[in-house]
Amino acid sequence: NQVQFALTVPPEAPVGIHGIRVFSPRGVSNLKLFCVDDLPTVAEAAGNGAIKSPQEVTIPCAIDGFVDNLTRDFFKFKADKGQLITLEVLARRLGSPLDASLYLYRENGTEITYSDDAEGLSSDPQIAFRVSETGTYIAEVRDIRYAGSGNHRYRLRIGDFPAVQMA
C-alpha cells in the first residue's frame, strides 16, 4: 500500500512547486507536491524542540521538517546588520495539513515579529526584516493549534530573496 521513490530533478527544472503522480497497473496515485529550490537544503534534526536548543543552520538555506503534536521547531542563524532576511514556510502550498505560524526571536528569546497567514500564500507565513544588529537570531515553526504528526511537513526557507506573496 506504500511506495517509496527517489526523484532526480534535472538542473534546468524551474524553481517552484511541482506535482508528481505514480502510475501502476493498480491505478494512479494522488498528486504529491514538492518544491524545486535554488537554496541549499538541510533536514530538520532531532532535539530542536526548545528555544534553548535550536538547530544551527547557515543561511541561505531551506529546511525540510515536520511538526509533531504539541511541539515546536527552532532554528538559529547568524545575520549581519543591514542584511535583508526573508523567512517563509511552505506547508499548505505543498498539501500539508500544517497551519504554520512563524516567529522570529533575538538570541536571548525576545520576540521580534511573527507571521500566521501571509496574504496570497494559502495561509502559509512569511517574514521579511532588515537586521538591526549583527548577531544570532532564532526562527520558530509550529502549528497555530499545536497539532502535528509525521504528515505535518514544511519547508522553511531563510535567506536574502524577494518576499513575493502574489503576482
Side-chain angles (χ1 to χ4, degrees), residues 72-152:
R72 308 178 291 174
D73 293 340
F74 293 91
F75 305 93
K76 73 177 177 178
F77 59 92
K78 291 181 173 43
D80 296 323
K81 181 177 181 175
Q83 191 174 5
L84 181 62
I85 302 290
T86 299
L87 299 94
E88 77 173 333
V89 174
L90 285 84
R92 293 286 174 100
R93 290 175 284 170
L94 296 175
S96 173
L98 176 65
D99 186 1
S101 57
L102 178 61
Y103 297 80
L104 182 64
Y105 303 96
R106 296 193 189 290
E107 187 174 27
N108 66 6
T110 304
E111 184 179 311
I112 298 171
T113 189
Y114 76 96
S115 175
D116 180 18
D117 298 336
E119 188 174 340
L121 298 183
S122 300
S123 77
D124 284 340
Q126 182 184 75
I127 295 170
F129 82 106
R130 180 133 345 247
V131 177
S132 61
E133 59 187 61
T134 297
T136 300
Y137 294 84
I138 298 173
E140 173 191 353
V141 177
R142 69 171 171 90
D143 185 90
I144 195 70
R145 293 175 305 277
Y146 289 97
S149 71
N151 197 36
H152 283 68

Side-chain angles (χ1 to χ4, degrees), residues 53-76:
S53 60
Q55 178 179 343
E56 188 165 357
V57 296
T58 302
I59 61 171
C61 72
I63 303 132
D64 289 324
F66 68 92
V67 176
D68 273 326
N69 200 32
L70 302 175
T71 66
R72 308 178 291 174
D73 293 340
F74 293 91
F75 305 93
K76 73 177 177 178

Side-chain angles (χ1 to χ4, degrees), residues 15 36-42 59-63 86 88 155-161:
V15 170
V36 173
D37 208 336
D38 56 357
L39 298 177
T41 300
V42 296
I59 61 171
C61 72
I63 303 132
T86 299
E88 77 173 333
R155 182 170 184 86
L156 171 61
R157 302 178 78 237
I158 308 173
D160 181 2
F161 52 86

